[in-house]
C-alpha cells in the first residue's frame, strides 16, 4: 500500500502537530509528512514545520475576499501536496462544508474534552468550571458541525481535588499527544471505517 501523505492545519504552538510529526519521522506511523498550513503568521507550528523541512505555509485570511476564497487557497495547497489526511492540530477556525466535502472523512481533529460534552473553544475550562469529575479528550473526523463528527478515540482524565483549569489542561494535553498520533496511525494503516456516526476500528 502506498504511504499516506499527512498534512496539518494549526493556529498556535503546535504541540499536537509535533507529537504526530515525530512519530512519522521515527517510522512509528507509516506515512509521509506533507505540508503545514497556518492562519496565523506567528504560529510556532510554522517554525517547527520548517525545521522538519516541510512546506510551511502562512495563508492570511485577510488577504482573501471571504472564507470561500481563503479556504480555496488552502485546499489547493493541500491537493498540490497530494494530501491523503489532514490533521487539524489546534486549528482555531471552523471549516466550511465545501472544505469538509473536499476531504470527507479525511480530516481528523483533536478536542480537549469528552465530546459531545463541551464542544467549541476552551473545552478544558468549560468542563472544569461545570464541575465534572472526569474530563478528557477526543479525536474525531470533522463533519459540517462544530466538534460533532464521528468519534475515533477518547481518553478520560480525572479531575483532582486541587486542580485548576490549567493543571487539568496540562494532564489532558498529555493524553492528546497519545490519542492523536494513535488515531493517525490507525488511519494510515487503513484501520478506520466510518459507518454513519460510528468509526469502526478494524
Ligand atoms: C489543544 O488543546 C487542542 O486540543 C485544541 O487546541 C490546543 C492546541 O494545542 N484544539 P497545540 O497547538 O497542539 O499545542
Amino acid at each position: 500500500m502506498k504511504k499516506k501523505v499527512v498534512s496539518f492545519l494549526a493556529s498556535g504552538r503546535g504541540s499536537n502537530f509535533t507529537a504526530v510529526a515525530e512519530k512519522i519521522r521515527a517510522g512509528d506511523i507509516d506515512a509521509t509528512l506533507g505540508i503545514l498550513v497556518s492562519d496565523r503568521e506567528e504560529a510556532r507550528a510554522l517554525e517547527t514545520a520548517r525545521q522538519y523541512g516541510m512546506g510551511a505555509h502562512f495563508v492570511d485570511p485577510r488577504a482573501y475576499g471571504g472564507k470561500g476564497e481563503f479556504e480555496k487557497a488552502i485546499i489547493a495547497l493541500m491537493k498540490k501536496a497530494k494530501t491523503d489526511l489532514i490533521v487539524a492540530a489546534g486549528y482555531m477556525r471552523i471549516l466550511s462544508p465545501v472544505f469538509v466535502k473536499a476531504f470527507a472523512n479525511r480530516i481528523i481533529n483533536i478536542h480537549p474534552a469528552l465530546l459531545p460534552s463541551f464542544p467549541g473553544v476552551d473545552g478544558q475550562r468549560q468542563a472544569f468550571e461545570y464541575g465534572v469529575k472526569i474530563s478528557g479528550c477526543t479525536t474525531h473526523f470533522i463533519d459540517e458541525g462544530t466538534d460533532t463528527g464521528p468519534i475515533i478515540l477518547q481518553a478520560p482524565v480525572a479531575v483532582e481535588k486541587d486542580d485548576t483549569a490549567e493543571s487539568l489542561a496540562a494532564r489532558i494535553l498529555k493524553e492528546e499527544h497519545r490519542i492523536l498520533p494513535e488515531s493517525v496511525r490507525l488511519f494510515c494503516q487503513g484501520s478506520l471505517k466510518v459507518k454513519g456516526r460510528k468509526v469502526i476500528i478494524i
Side-chain angles (χ1 to χ4, degrees), residues 94-113:
I94 306 292
L95 299 175
S96 76
V98 173
F99 197 121
V100 173
K101 208 174 266 165
F103 287 90
N105 292 333
R106 293 194 295 137
I107 314 171
I108 293 178
N109 185 43
I110 176 80
H111 182 74

Side-chain angles (χ1 to χ4, degrees), residues 10-17 88-92 109-112 124 173 176-177:
S11 300
R13 72 190 155 179
S15 70
N16 277 290
F17 155 59
Y91 183 65
M92 301 313 283
N109 185 43
I110 176 80
H111 182 74
Q124 310 96 321
L173 190 63
E176 294 180 37
H177 294 166

Side-chain angles (χ1 to χ4, degrees), residues 88-175:
Y91 183 65
M92 301 313 283
R93 285 170 195 272
I94 306 292
L95 299 175
S96 76
V98 173
F99 197 121
V100 173
K101 208 174 266 165
F103 287 90
N105 292 333
R106 293 194 295 137
I107 314 171
I108 293 178
N109 185 43
I110 176 80
H111 182 74
L114 290 178
L115 292 171
S117 293
F118 312 113
V121 290
D122 230 353
Q124 310 96 321
R125 182 172 297 277
Q126 287 186 56
F128 179 75
E129 284 175 0
Y130 192 91
V132 301
K133 302 294 187 198
I134 297 176
S135 192
C137 51
T138 304
T139 57
H140 64 93
F141 285 111
I142 290 188
D143 68 3
E144 281 80 7
T146 302
D147 300 326
T148 53
I151 290 172
I152 304 167
L153 295 175
Q154 293 189 297
V157 174
V159 181
E160 308 291 350
K161 216 169 65 212
D162 356 308
D163 257 335
T164 59
E166 289 72 26
S167 62
L168 176 63
R171 286 205 312 289
I172 292 174
L173 190 63
K174 283 204 179 125
E175 292 300 302

Side-chain angles (χ1 to χ4, degrees), residues 19-20 23 28-29 108 139 152-153 175-189 192 201:
V20 175
K23 293 257 187 241
D28 297 336
I29 298 174
I108 293 178
T139 57
I152 304 167
L153 295 175
E175 292 300 302
E176 294 180 37
H177 294 166
R178 191 174 63 75
I179 68 168
L180 184 59
E182 180 59 10
S183 302
V184 173
R185 193 183 69 75
L186 290 168
F187 179 95
C188 291
Q189 68 178 33
L192 301 181
I201 301 175

